[in-house]
Amino acid sequence: MTDTTFDRGFDTRSWITEKIFMGMSFCDYLKSLLTPTNAIFALILIVGVPIVIYRFAFGIGAATNLTQVNPWGIWIGLDVMSGVALAAGGFTVATAVHILGLKEYQPIVRPALLTGFLGYLFAVIGLCADLGRPWKLPVPMVYSYGTGSVMFEVGWCVCLYLIVLGLEFSPAAFEWLGLRKAREWAVRMTLVLTIFGLCLSTLHQSSLGALFLMMPHRVHPLWYSGYVPVFFFVSAIIAGMSMVIVEGGLSHRVFKSQLNPNDHGTADTLTLGLAKGAAVVLFAYFFLKLQGLVDGGRYDLLLTPYGAWFLFELLGFVLTPCLLYAVAVRRQNATMARWVAGWTVLGIVVNRLNLSVIAFNYNAAERYVPGFMEIMVSVTIITIGIITFRWIVNRMPVLHEHPDFPQAH
Amino acid sequence: METRMELSRRTFIKFAGAVGAAGVVARPKPAAASALHPVNTPAVLVDTTRCAGCRGCEAACSESNHLPGPALQGQDAVFSKSRKTDVKVYTVVNRAKADSKQGEARYVKSQCMHCLDPACASACLAKALEKTSAGPVVYHPERCLGCRYCMVACQFDVPKFDFDSPSPYINKCSFCAERQEQGLQPACASVCPTGALQFGHREELIEDARTRIYQNPDKYVHHIYGESEAGGTSWLYITDVPFEKLGFRTDLGPTSPPELTRTALAAVPFVLTLWPPLLMGLYTFSKRRAEASKGTDQEAHHD
Ligand code: SF4
Ligand code: SF4
């Protein structure tokens, strides 16, 4: 189908119908958009987009509860810190398949890469809302290198990795567009991109944690540790794997029409495989965190409210999902594994928020609580991310093989 | 150069041990900071026992930096609550929470400490905040992205951000870097009528402070604040009331904050040079294995 269109020269109209409106006429396409989910999305955007505009017109102070005492809030803690961690599935799965040769995970490479790519893209967009002068982003990229800054390293790695993820995912886009040559080139780069992606991920996932190394005066002693970069890297792997499970579970519900019936069994097997991996890494992470606690030696603080919260994170969000994952694997219960994955993802978000918001500035005179507009901006950005994900999955061969490119992934 | 090399070598050993875990564990080390900067770096010694709380320094600062005049100028009511520096206020004089033993009021001036190895400059990804070789830590507004990492990194809560502006900048005391270039003292020190602010070379001022403490051991607290705090600062304080009553953090160790991240940064080249060959090795291994198992499969079929 695609090829004939191209053979006969370019027919814009049918191209748009085919690629953008998924074979429907414009009116039919619009009608197909009238769903309850879209109504919710629309409502969020109607409220959220004006707030984003308001933020840029009147400054950060007008739209947030940030102050001189608490200059960092959820735009950093949720959009950037958590967003990047949850997007780690891309490098985790790509490494497993292309380097460790676990070919059975091939079917989830593309969804994982797409989640990763959009996760990073929207983390950067979230960052732009948080930066006072985002139009100055080219400064550290082009001419004023703050090489002594961890933030500089994070910035560069995230920027490069975004490009790498884009290239890693590009074969799907090229298949959709029917560009055979370009696709071949992109596929040929897979190994190099995967290795480069893993290098960059190792660096910036840990460096996001290294940002806090300089701030023992801000981060609560129970969370502050010289090992924070290692914690961040290891927990990003957990977050990435769990996010792939969650996203797979949701996709199978939402995009049912794109899958053929026997995909379901495969999905369960892969979910349980990932769950097993996540359980092992969580186990290691639990002991790393314990070591961090012993290293800090501040057992006295465990009896304070912050201590209770720390223990809740350690036991509730690390040890519990570790054990529950193991149980799910043992019972071969993929549904259970999906619920545990959801809990684990939440746990990583809580961890990132702890470092950057909740246990951050714990000794300051003022407490920071995000305002409505701040939360709405984050929700809006996440919503646009989900809409983009759906738009792409509906058009490009992500969950299924492209009929013209069998065995492509 | 020496220290750099030493640092990387140590880092390498540490890194090699932890390569699987990203090898970016930082360990506090004694600051090598003061070695990086000339001993005759410009500094101010603040002797709070001499300060009369006239706030002449505040007025001079505002004038010199073209800021609105200080709040409640000439009124004692200003001391009823503790103020902080702000976007348009680079220095403030507050009344200490304790009087001297003789019952005299004590005042304390605060502003950027101009650290020897400043956290803010090391935090800045765009070199918008920069430690100049002359000593002052200065700000280049045209480079700043407004990420506010400098604000949270600074242990003295100095950089202030203009939250109300759609194109916000960081603001802080510049140690009157331009005046210093012209051979002038910082505006504040130049107007201080009591000698509470004394501008000079850091080493000499430390000697001076030591002498004062030595000659009046019953009067002064035996500590020069800023000599070692946060790796050392250009602003130094001596006093006769406990430092926490002046509003100072007394929990800052002698390690400069940037020192805490240097190991992590030094790990970057190792990740970039060690990961790729390692991964290629893994790749070849897993590929061979897959081929081998395919081979045995086929042999099994032939049998
Ligand atoms: S006191 Fe804060 S703002 Fe001033 S030089 Fe030190 S780290 Fe930078
Ligand atoms: S807010 Fe500006 S000066 Fe401060 S670290 Fe960010 S870019 Fe540098």
Side-chain angles (χ1 to χ4, degrees):
Chain A
M1 216 158 46
T2 327
D3 285 338
T4 44
T5 322
F6 277 88
D7 286 348
R8 287 198 203 129
F10 201 73
D11 178 349
T12 320
R13 211 191 148 92
S14 73
W15 187 89
I16 291 179
T17 312
E18 165 86 10
K19 301 295 179 196
I20 309 294
F21 301 138
M22 302 188 287
M24 290 179 258
S25 77
F26 183 58
C27 290
D28 287 346
Y29 177 68
L30 282 189
K31 264 183 223 146
S32 77
L33 291 181
L34 296 173
T35 63
T37 324
N38 282 345
I40 297 171
F41 285 170
L43 196 70
I44 293 173
L45 295 189
I46 289 168
V47 180
V49 173
I51 295 179
V52 174
I53 296 170
Y54 178 80
R55 175 255 166 272
F56 278 102
F58 296 99
I60 297 175
T64 68
N65 287 350
L66 298 178
T67 60
Q68 305 294 356
V69 180
N70 293 303
W72 276 6
I74 56 163
W75 290 349
I76 291 288
L78 192 69
D79 301 7
V80 180
M81 294 279 169
S82 308
V84 167
L86 299 191
F91 90 84
T92 314
V93 175
T95 305
V97 172
H98 298 309
I99 296 184
L100 303 181
L102 306 173
K103 296 289 177 210
E104 61 272 29
Y105 290 94
Q106 189 79 48
I108 55 169
V109 169
R110 279 189 183 177
L113 285 175
L114 181 60
T115 318
F117 177 66
L118 293 179
Y120 276 88
L121 186 64
F122 285 90
V124 171
I125 291 174
L127 179 68
C128 286
D130 183 76
L131 285 179
R133 290 141 44 81
W135 53 92
K136 287 284 173 179
L137 262 176
V139 170
M141 297 294 154
V142 181
Y143 73 94
S144 187
Y145 303 134
T147 40
S149 164
V150 180
M151 193 68 104
F152 177 78
E153 192 207 319
V154 173
W156 261 92
C157 288
V158 167
C159 177
L160 289 176
Y161 187 48
L162 191 58
I163 299 172
V164 167
L165 275 169
L167 289 174
E168 282 184 286
F169 183 72
S170 66
F174 291 139
E175 284 171 22
W176 169 59
L177 296 171
L179 302 174
R180 265 172 201 284
K181 271 263 157 56
R183 178 190 167 275
E184 256 161 48
W185 272 103
V187 168
R188 231 173 269 163
M189 293 191 297
T190 306
L191 184 62
V192 175
L193 287 175
T194 309
I195 290 177
F196 197 37
L198 181 52
C199 290
L200 292 171
S201 297
T202 311
L203 289 176
H204 72 257
Q205 293 287 3
S206 54
S207 295
L208 277 175
L211 287 177
F212 296 99
L213 287 180
M214 203 167 27
M215 301 193 275
H217 59 297
R218 303 245 177 235
V219 180
H220 189 280
L222 285 174
W223 279 272
Y224 183 85
S225 157
Y227 297 106
V228 171
V230 181
F231 294 163
F232 265 51
F233 180 63
V234 176
S235 60
I237 296 175
I238 298 164
M241 288 171 134
S242 303
M243 196 59 195
V244 170
I245 297 180
V246 170
E247 178 265 312
L250 292 175
S251 290
H252 274 253
R253 237 164 244 226
V254 179
F255 304 104
K256 238 187 234 138
S257 59
Q258 296 204 20
L259 303 157
N260 51 45
N262 54 4
D263 278 355
H264 212 71
T266 334
D268 282 0
T269 321
L270 296 187
T271 297
L272 289 170
L274 283 168
K276 199 168 171 184
V280 172
V281 186
L282 268 166
F283 197 63
Y285 180 55
F286 177 71
F287 280 99
L288 274 173
K289 288 283 279 184
L290 275 188
Q291 198 185 338
L293 181 65
V294 173
D295 208 45
R298 299 301 304 271
Y299 307 110
D300 52 319
L301 293 172
L302 289 176
L303 296 172
T304 62
Y306 268 114
W309 181 236
F310 177 81
L311 287 175
F312 184 71
E313 186 199 322
L314 186 64
L315 301 176
F317 283 121
V318 182
L319 190 60
T320 308
C322 171
L323 299 176
L324 290 181
Y325 263 139
V327 172
V329 173
R330 182 133 237 220
R331 296 203 187 138
Q332 292 291 300
N333 187 340
T335 316
M336 178 176 172
R338 291 192 184 105
W339 283 106
V340 180
W343 182 249
T344 312
V345 166
L346 182 68
I348 304 292
V349 172
V350 167
N351 174 260
R352 297 304 191 261
L353 285 176
N354 273 341
L355 260 298
S356 54
V357 177
I358 299 169
F360 190 77
N361 254 344
Y362 69 105
N363 48 6
E366 299 167 21
R367 268 324 296 170
Y368 157 83
V369 180
F372 170 72
M373 288 198 261
E374 258 172 292
I375 297 174
M376 264 325 283
V377 169
S378 291
V379 171
T380 306
I381 292 173
I382 295 167
T383 306
I384 300 178
I386 294 173
I387 295 174
T388 315
F389 184 84
R390 192 181 61 174
W391 193 92
I392 293 176
V393 168
N394 272 332
R395 286 162 182 80
M396 300 181 197
V398 178
L399 298 179
H400 58 90
E401 284 182 352
H402 193 288
D404 294 347
F405 299 90
Q407 302 275 307
H409 68 178
Chain B
M1 214 49 227
E2 268 302 326
T3 47
R4 271 263 147 225
M5 299 269 290
E6 175 58 23
L7 192 74
S8 338
R9 210 175 314 128
R10 250 187 285 162
T11 310
F12 177 74
I13 294 163
K14 204 171 296 160
F15 178 76
V19 64
V24 278
V25 180
R27 283 270 173 214
K29 261 183 262 118
S34 30
L36 298 172
H37 300 290
V39 282
N40 61 352
T41 186
V44 170
L45 174 62
V46 184
D47 188 336
T48 63
T49 66
R50 296 183 181 179
C51 176
C54 75
R55 299 170 65 219
C57 50
E58 282 190 30
C61 174
S62 296
E63 195 190 318
S64 179
N65 290 296
H66 313 289
L67 303 169
L72 301 170
Q73 199 159 15
Q75 297 174 39
D76 266 358
V78 76
F79 293 123
S80 61
K81 62 175 197 256
S82 168
R83 294 172 305 143
K84 289 190 172 126
T85 58
D86 208 331
V87 177
K88 292 197 165 66
V89 187
Y90 297 173
T91 186
V92 289
V93 177
N94 280 308
R95 188 169 169 171
K97 293 207 178 62
D99 295 341
S100 75
K101 276 181 228 129
Q102 292 75 36
E104 289 168 297
R106 285 289 171 253
Y107 301 92
V108 60
K109 175 185 185 300
S110 52
Q111 70 297 306
C112 171
M113 301 287 281
H114 294 277
C115 307
L116 300 185
D117 188 15
C120 61
S122 134
C124 185
L125 73 168
K127 280 209 170 115
L129 282 164
E130 194 181 20
K131 173 87 182 168
T132 58
S133 53
V137 179
V138 299
Y139 178 60
H140 305 283
E142 73 286 354
R143 298 179 188 167
C144 175
L145 282 75
C147 70
R148 312 189 290 290
Y149 187 25
C150 52
M151 301 176 74
V152 286
C154 171
Q155 295 177 311
F156 304 100
D157 294 333
V158 169
K160 295 285 146 59
F161 186 70
D162 193 357
F163 281 103
D164 298 328
S165 163
S167 178
Y169 294 101
I170 289 287
N171 296 272
K172 74 167 195 71
C173 151
S174 68
F175 212 177
C176 286
E178 282 176 24
R179 284 176 59 100
Q180 287 199 38
E181 264 170 40
Q182 295 159 15
L184 297 167
Q185 296 197 9
C188 52
S190 73
V191 298
C192 181
T194 61
L197 305 180
Q198 199 180 333
F199 179 72
H201 290 322
R202 190 167 183 271
E203 294 303 303
E204 287 163 22
L205 290 176
I206 289 176
E207 276 311 307
D208 195 348
R210 284 214 185 102
T211 313
R212 280 185 223 175
I213 296 173
Y214 184 72
Q215 288 173 349
N216 304 281
D218 300 331
K219 179 176 164 192
Y220 286 104
V221 175
H222 294 199
H223 183 71
I224 305 171
Y225 194 94
E227 186 182 1
S228 66
E229 272 80 7
T233 61
S234 301
W235 279 68
L236 306 159
Y237 289 76
I238 51 174
T239 187
D240 59 352
V241 298
F243 276 103
E244 49 290 0
K245 299 285 180 193
L246 295 179
F248 280 114
R249 285 188 80 131
T250 47
D251 58 346
L252 304 180
T255 309
S256 77
E259 200 58 44
L260 297 172
T261 55
R262 259 172 213 142
T263 322
L265 281 172
V268 174
F270 296 109
V271 170
L272 288 177
T273 46
L274 288 181
W275 263 143
L278 217 83
L279 296 171
M280 276 313 288
L282 270 176
Y283 168 73
T284 325
F285 175 70
S286 71
K287 203 172 161 188
R288 280 272 166 74
R289 207 182 40 176
E291 273 163 10
S293 74
K294 221 186 255 163
T296 38
D297 275 1
Q298 274 164 6
E299 268 164 41
H301 274 290
H302 282 301
D303 281 348

